[in-house]
Amino acid sequence: MATVKPIDPRRAAAVPAPLPPAPAEPPRSLRARRVAAAPTPAPVAARSTPGTTLDGSWDKRLSRGMVQPDATVDLHGHTLNSAYAMLDDALGRSIARGDRVILLITGKPPRPDSERPHARGAIRAAVGDWLHSSRHADAIAAVRGANPRHGGSGALYIVLRRPRRARIS
């Protein structure tokens, strides 16, 4: 049998008093528990967000570098504010021209072994949020990483949706 040592009176004063027990919840029916546990849905956005899927032929052509971009936007040397303004302006112009693929050059992300904190990759990290909240988000079909021929991990393809043609009835 183990021996029990008495508590030192000096250490006993440092131990906080136990908290009072929490009040018991009244019992709820099974249905009420299920309803309470269900997550609330996110509010529906007023406009659509950039798509995440393309058909297989598009993905294959993009991954092999067989698609020639219609426009190129290079964000090197820009601040976050000027890069956002430049991207927004370029998206507007490309949509107006009817372009399908934009090559967005952001610069390579920081290496995993780089010392923290580092200033590299701020634009690259923000581009996804910018595109998602852009006024042109409904015109973006997908965003994919670029082929090494077009910049690899330092660039992205932005695939724009085809403009809808008016149907004549």
Side-chain angles (χ1 to χ4, degrees), residues 25-69:
E25 279 190 37
R28 295 186 296 180
S29 70
L30 182 61
R31 179 169 169 75
R33 274 186 266 162
R34 274 193 224 136
V35 170
T40 57
V44 177
R47 54 183 170 193
S48 63
T49 59
T52 56
T53 60
L54 293 173
D55 64 0
S57 65
W58 263 102
D59 276 329
K60 187 184 299 183
R61 289 176 28 207
L62 287 172
S63 67
R64 293 181 181 172
M66 297 169 57
V67 174
Q68 190 63 32

Side-chain angles (χ1 to χ4, degrees), residues 2 33 78 100 109 123 145 155:
R33 274 186 266 162
H78 288 272
R100 286 302 305 271
I123 292 174

Side-chain angles (χ1 to χ4, degrees), residues 4-159:
V4 178
K5 294 182 182 180
I7 297 177
D8 183 11
R10 291 174 290 175
R11 296 184 88 201
V15 175
L19 295 174
E25 279 190 37
R28 295 186 296 180
S29 70
L30 182 61
R31 179 169 169 75
R33 274 186 266 162
R34 274 193 224 136
V35 170
T40 57
V44 177
R47 54 183 170 193
S48 63
T49 59
T52 56
T53 60
L54 293 173
D55 64 0
S57 65
W58 263 102
D59 276 329
K60 187 184 299 183
R61 289 176 28 207
L62 287 172
S63 67
R64 293 181 181 172
M66 297 169 57
V67 174
Q68 190 63 32
D70 299 313
T72 302
V73 180
D74 190 350
L75 301 180
H76 279 110
H78 288 272
T79 63
L80 286 172
N81 289 333
S82 66
Y84 178 75
M86 187 172 186
L87 176 61
D88 189 58
D89 184 50
L91 280 171
R93 283 185 279 122
S94 292
I95 292 167
R97 279 194 309 258
D99 294 346
R100 286 302 305 271
V101 179
I102 300 170
L103 178 64
L104 179 64
I105 302 170
T106 60
K108 294 191 182 275
R111 293 182 307 277
D113 60 342
S114 69
E115 291 188 28
R116 306 266 193 251
H118 51 287
R120 293 191 56 193
I123 292 174
R124 172 73 177 209
V127 164
D129 292 335
W130 290 348
L131 293 174
H132 186 72
S133 64
S134 168
R135 62 189 171 113
H136 305 294
D138 57 344
I140 298 172
V143 178
R144 297 287 189 267
N147 183 278
R149 175 184 304 165
H150 293 128
S153 63
L156 298 168
Y157 295 122
I158 300 173
V159 182

